[in-house]
Amino acid sequence: MKNNLPTLKEIATQLNISISTVSRALHDHKSIGLRTKTRVQELARQIQYEPNQTAIFFQQGKTFTIGVILPELSEAFFSSAISGIEDAAHKSNYTVLMGQSHDSVEKEKQLIDTMKKHRVDGLLISISKNTTNYEHFEALQRYSIPIVFFDRIPKIPNIHYVACNMINGTVQAINFLFAKGHRIIGMINGPEKLPATKERLEGYILAMTKSRLKYDPSLVLNCDLTKESVCAATEKLLTGKRRPTAIVTFNDYVALDAVQQAQKMKFKINKDICFVSYANLPLTNYTAYPPLASVEQFPYLQGQKATETLIDLLSQKNNALAENGNAAYYKIILESQLMVHNK
Amino acid sequence: MKNNLPTLKEIATQLNISISTVSRALHDHKSIGLRTKTRVQELARQIQYEPNQTAIFFQQGKTFTIGVILPELSEAFFSSAISGIEDAAHKSNYTVLMGQSHDSVEKEKQLIDTMKKHRVDGLLISISKNTTNYEHFEALQRYSIPIVFFDRIPKIPNIHYVACNMINGTVQAINFLFAKGHRIIGMINGPEKLPATKERLEGYILAMTKSRLKYDPSLVLNCDLTKESVCAATEKLLTGKRRPTAIVTFNDYVALDAVQQAQKMKFKINKDICFVSYANLPLTNYTAYPPLASVEQFPYLQGQKATETLIDLLSQKNNALAENGNAAYYKIILESQLMVHNK
DNA sequence: ATTTTATCCGCAAGCGTTTGCACAATGTAA
DNA sequence: TTACATTGTGCAAACGCTTGCGGATAAAAT
């Protein structure tokens, strides 16, 4: 039951030439005569020779595999991102070794370990929600496995990353609401520590002050993304003394929960209260009251860009000009963009 | 910039013993004395030795990698399935090489080719919607790369597969509606050729006749899953001479489109017309009128089972008892189950 | 004292490829 | 004729690891 696949050696013995000649012939090496070249290629095709990649990987110390670690594939953002990753990877003949951390730090470490063992050439990571310690990433330096982070970026210096700037989109969202006549605009933001949360807040403050609406902190609430906390925040906003006529929510899921809560409180959606959100998920097409608009974060593009820069990094490494310590770090930032839903 | 990672050789020379002794010491081989064993392990830990897996893969002719080819990760079914796959794989120390066919036959072939090149130990495949030719699967025999199909199964004999039987769930769905008093029950089914479509129909007919409601073919319409065709089918059903009071739809997305269409036609959902569906997607929680119930197909479980049988197959292969041609084929069938949504 | 038996260890082959180097043969310029 | 490219080919090492086999040493049995 052995894998008796054809090897270079077989071709060589059958043709009575040396293995190296066969190898070179198949690679179209110039130093091989045309006659032997065709003879070899002919036979190779005939017996369906295919090089043993594992041997090549080993010999070249390169696997043409990139590892991807992300929190949760069932989130539309990430499943879209991985499509971008895959497409970009395949275009350069890389394959994708995938793993989900499910937002567990432990799992994340394990995954990094497996990826390391499998000698992936590079790594694409979107860190878990709970990761605060970054040693396991830094340990990879030793193996000279480059990492490109995307979307969820650790807060350490000297890393490559691709992210989407939420400030701009947030400003657009506020302006959109302002143009529609809203003057009291609330926000249900995400967990306080998340950079994503901070960026949204920053954009909010920026836009509000620019619009000469003063920034009222009581209109900005944090939630932990659970349905309960979203409902609580919604209720608090809608019963506060300054009742907003529009609310910007951390993402589409939050928006949907908030809508439900508002309805339960007998508010008329899009009349008494409007919602604008982030993510632009397709599912919002099916809901009774989708947010009026969503800030798009371009996950596919993020995945694609991240992969491209990683592959770029990898080819640089090959050119061995990485000797100098003045390594430059890629910081690629896409601009988010408000997508208004046509009703 | 070479990868100067520690190797067995280094340990060997530093300790003035042979490479083979080091290897055995690290594997706790009984023929190595306790003293040298500890010395070796000590040093190994100290210099952070880690075996070069690519070398091992090559040497052992095994990569501990399983390839997964599926149509579309952004479909909740598959992102859930891959979680099951991942979890089961990791449990047995396998990793997952992933690729999406996006329902393109060409892409599917390419992916199989890459997987083959990467010498995955085995393959998990859910075939693309458009695959009718199965040669590219059979070509894998030559490499003795076992395949386990899941959910979307090709119609060829002698394959391993894991699937979910829709008949039972469909019967449950019809019975559920019957119990609620519905007597005229329509169906918006999927593309005619799909096995999934046929199973649903079979269950429908079975349940209807068992309930002594005669099977009326004009109540069963096919659609190609696009919004337009769903709406057309819905309209046709709701304007037909025998107007159904309940409709079973091919999946939740179809249900949502159908609901929209019915609303547009001024039908009161859950009053004039009820919906029951398949898939049980979480998003239905957020919609105004989710289907009353959904037939669950247990994607996570399917993925898990498929992986387990594949790994089982792989270990059998190792035991080299595959000599005999009387190979048995795994046909694992899960039963679908109706999940009634609590309102 | 001699043979047997553990116990411990090293040699070397092999996995399939790539590639620097040397060598042979042929042709070309001095 | 001699020297020198040019072209075509093979040798052998290297990548890092596993493993069958045989050899050494020491302890135990005869």
Side-chain angles (χ1 to χ4, degrees):
Chain A
M1 194 56 214
K2 266 297 179 64
N3 260 357
N4 257 333
L5 298 178
T7 67
L8 287 186
K9 189 147 114 188
E10 281 195 26
I11 300 183
T13 50
Q14 276 197 45
L15 257 41
N16 244 323
I17 53 181
S18 82
I19 296 180
S20 42
T21 303
V22 176
S23 171
R24 281 191 262 255
L26 292 173
H27 283 88
D28 238 355
H29 194 284
K30 59 184 173 182
S31 81
I32 301 294
L34 182 63
R35 207 172 45 255
T36 45
K37 210 180 274 185
T38 49
R39 281 209 317 153
V40 168
Q41 289 172 349
E42 176 67 20
L43 181 57
R45 195 157 34 75
Q46 196 179 312
I47 66 175
Q48 295 195 59
Y49 166 80
E50 292 188 55
N52 181 336
Q53 291 289 347
T54 60
I56 298 177
F57 293 159
F58 166 55
Q59 204 264 142
Q60 317 244 299
K62 191 164 190 309
T63 59
F64 275 96
T65 304
I66 67 186
V68 177
I69 299 177
L70 40 72
E72 194 61 53
L73 266 180
S74 62
E75 283 182 31
F77 180 91
F78 290 112
S79 70
S80 181
I82 204 159
S83 287
I85 292 172
E86 241 200 290
D87 291 350
H90 288 168
K91 194 173 296 170
S92 303
N93 280 315
Y94 280 81
T95 52
V96 170
L97 209 61
M98 208 254 335
Q100 303 179 65
S101 70
H102 295 295
D103 276 318
S104 141
V105 185
E106 209 38 59
K107 195 76 203 291
E108 197 172 75
K109 281 189 194 159
Q110 265 176 247
L111 282 172
I112 287 192
D113 215 59
T114 346
M115 302 281 178
K116 194 173 62 189
K117 270 199 198 148
H118 273 253
R119 292 284 204 273
V120 295
D121 292 335
L123 225 31
L124 252 30
I125 303 183
S126 193
I127 67 175
S128 111
K129 211 183 296 181
N130 309 304
T131 303
T132 52
N133 181 328
Y134 306 119
E135 284 172 13
H136 46 306
F137 301 133
E138 284 155 354
L140 287 175
Q141 302 287 85
R142 219 169 70 84
Y143 294 79
S144 58
I145 297 179
I147 313 181
V148 174
F149 293 93
F150 69 99
D151 191 54
R152 303 228 207 128
I153 317 293
K155 283 207 295 274
I156 40 180
N158 298 344
I159 57 170
H160 307 280
Y161 68 78
V162 173
C164 187
N165 174 20
M166 297 280 94
I167 296 180
N168 232 328
T170 308
V171 170
Q172 288 173 21
I174 304 289
N175 290 348
F176 166 79
L177 290 170
F178 186 85
K180 289 213 160 223
H182 296 276
R183 290 300 177 265
I184 306 185
I185 301 172
M187 176 175 246
I188 302 181
N189 213 340
E192 217 153 345
K193 298 152 295 187
L194 245 56
T197 301
K198 288 176 188 151
E199 276 195 9
R200 284 163 170 75
L201 179 60
E202 192 176 332
Y204 175 85
I205 296 178
L206 188 67
M208 291 299 272
T209 50
K210 274 231 170 129
S211 300
R212 298 175 192 287
L213 307 171
K214 79 160 200 282
Y215 164 50
D216 177 353
S218 78
L219 287 180
V220 177
L221 265 42
N222 290 100
C223 77
D224 64 4
L225 308 182
T226 63
K227 185 159 186 148
E228 295 73 41
S229 78
V230 172
C231 290
T234 311
E235 187 168 1
K236 191 162 173 199
L237 276 181
L238 293 180
T239 55
K241 55 190 82 129
R242 289 190 73 208
R243 186 163 64 70
T245 59
I247 296 179
V248 178
T249 59
F250 184 78
N251 66 32
D252 282 338
Y253 294 110
V254 171
L256 296 177
D257 285 332
V259 164
Q260 283 192 346
Q261 175 63 22
Q263 283 183 301
K264 202 177 292 172
M265 295 168 70
K266 305 295 179 201
F267 285 91
K268 294 256 180 281
I269 308 300
N270 293 341
K271 207 147 170 272
D272 305 333
I273 181 76
C274 292
F275 289 90
V276 167
S277 159
Y278 296 80
N280 196 26
L281 300 180
L283 78 90
T284 55
N285 290 331
Y286 292 106
T287 60
Y289 296 106
L292 294 181
S294 259
V295 178
E296 169 69 55
Q297 308 173 55
F298 304 104
Y300 182 93
L301 206 58
Q302 278 195 53
Q304 201 179 33
K305 286 274 179 225
T307 309
E308 285 168 2
T309 69
L310 179 59
I311 290 176
D312 193 51
L313 246 30
L314 291 175
S315 58
Q316 279 181 234
K317 194 172 92 175
N318 272 6
N319 295 346
L321 87 188
E323 280 308 336
N324 47 5
N326 77 339
Y329 290 95
Y330 287 94
K331 301 183 188 317
I332 297 182
I333 298 182
L334 307 180
E335 286 303 331
S336 58
Q337 191 179 328
L338 188 74
M339 313 293 268
V340 178
H341 299 167
N342 43 4
K343 45 178 325 176
Chain B
M1 194 54 214
K2 265 298 181 62
N3 259 358
N4 258 333
L5 298 178
T7 68
L8 287 187
K9 188 147 114 189
E10 281 195 24
I11 300 184
T13 51
Q14 276 198 44
L15 257 43
N16 244 325
I17 56 181
S18 82
I19 295 180
S20 44
T21 303
V22 177
S23 171
R24 281 190 260 255
L26 291 174
H27 284 86
D28 238 354
H29 194 283
K30 59 185 171 184
S31 82
I32 301 295
L34 182 63
R35 206 170 47 256
T36 44
K37 211 181 273 186
T38 49
R39 282 209 316 153
V40 168
Q41 290 172 347
E42 176 66 21
L43 181 58
R45 196 159 33 76
Q46 197 179 308
I47 67 174
Q48 295 193 58
Y49 167 79
E50 293 189 53
N52 181 335
Q53 291 288 346
T54 61
I56 298 179
F57 293 158
F58 167 55
Q59 204 263 144
Q60 316 243 300
K62 193 165 190 305
T63 58
F64 275 97
T65 305
I66 67 186
V68 177
I69 299 178
L70 42 71
E72 194 61 54
L73 267 180
S74 62
E75 283 182 31
F77 179 90
F78 290 113
S79 69
S80 182
I82 204 157
S83 288
I85 292 172
E86 242 201 290
D87 291 350
H90 288 168
K91 194 173 295 169
S92 302
N93 278 318
Y94 280 81
T95 51
V96 170
L97 209 61
M98 207 253 337
Q100 303 179 65
S101 70
H102 295 296
D103 276 318
S104 141
V105 185
E106 209 38 57
K107 195 75 203 290
E108 197 172 76
K109 281 189 194 162
Q110 266 176 248
L111 282 172
I112 288 193
D113 214 59
T114 350
M115 301 280 178
K116 195 174 62 189
K117 271 199 199 148
H118 273 251
R119 292 287 204 272
V120 296
D121 292 336
L123 226 30
L124 251 30
I125 305 185
S126 193
I127 67 174
S128 111
K129 209 183 295 179
N130 308 304
T131 303
T132 52
N133 182 328
Y134 305 119
E135 283 172 12
H136 46 305
F137 301 133
E138 285 155 352
L140 287 175
Q141 302 288 83
R142 219 166 72 82
Y143 295 79
S144 60
I145 298 180
I147 314 182
V148 174
F149 293 93
F150 69 99
D151 191 56
R152 303 229 208 128
I153 318 293
K155 283 206 294 274
I156 42 179
N158 299 342
I159 57 170
H160 308 281
Y161 67 78
V162 174
C164 186
N165 175 20
M166 297 280 91
I167 296 180
N168 233 329
T170 307
V171 170
Q172 288 173 22
I174 304 289
N175 290 347
F176 165 79
L177 289 170
F178 187 87
K180 290 215 158 219
H182 295 277
R183 291 301 177 267
I184 307 186
I185 300 173
M187 175 174 249
I188 302 181
N189 212 341
E192 218 154 343
K193 299 151 295 187
L194 245 55
T197 300
K198 289 175 187 149
E199 275 194 10
R200 282 161 170 79
L201 179 61
E202 193 177 332
Y204 174 87
I205 297 179
L206 187 69
M208 290 299 272
T209 51
K210 274 228 170 130
S211 300
R212 299 176 193 287
L213 307 173
K214 80 161 198 284
Y215 163 51
D216 177 353
S218 77
L219 286 180
V220 178
L221 264 41
N222 290 101
C223 77
D224 61 5
L225 307 182
T226 62
K227 185 159 189 152
E228 295 75 41
S229 77
V230 171
C231 290
T234 311
E235 186 168 1
K236 191 163 173 194
L237 277 179
L238 292 181
T239 55
K241 51 191 82 128
R242 290 191 71 208
R243 187 162 62 73
T245 60
I247 297 179
V248 178
T249 57
F250 183 78
N251 67 31
D252 281 338
Y253 295 110
V254 171
L256 296 177
D257 285 332
V259 163
Q260 283 192 345
Q261 175 64 22
Q263 283 183 300
K264 202 176 293 173
M265 295 168 70
K266 305 296 179 201
F267 285 91
K268 293 254 179 280
I269 309 298
N270 294 341
K271 204 145 174 272
D272 306 332
I273 182 76
C274 293
F275 289 90
V276 166
S277 157
Y278 297 79
N280 198 26
L281 300 181
L283 78 90
T284 56
N285 291 332
Y286 291 105
T287 61
Y289 295 106
L292 294 179
S294 259
V295 178
E296 169 68 55
Q297 309 173 53
F298 304 105
Y300 182 95
L301 206 58
Q302 278 195 53
Q304 200 179 33
K305 287 274 182 225
T307 310
E308 284 168 4
T309 68
L310 179 59
I311 290 175
D312 193 52
L313 246 29
L314 291 175
S315 60
Q316 279 181 232
K317 195 172 93 176
N318 273 5
N319 295 346
L321 91 188
E323 281 307 338
N324 47 6
N326 77 339
Y329 291 94
Y330 287 94
K331 300 184 190 313
I332 297 182
I333 298 182
L334 307 179
E335 285 303 331
S336 58
Q337 193 179 329
L338 188 75
M339 313 293 271
V340 178
H341 298 169
N342 42 5
K343 48 179 327 180

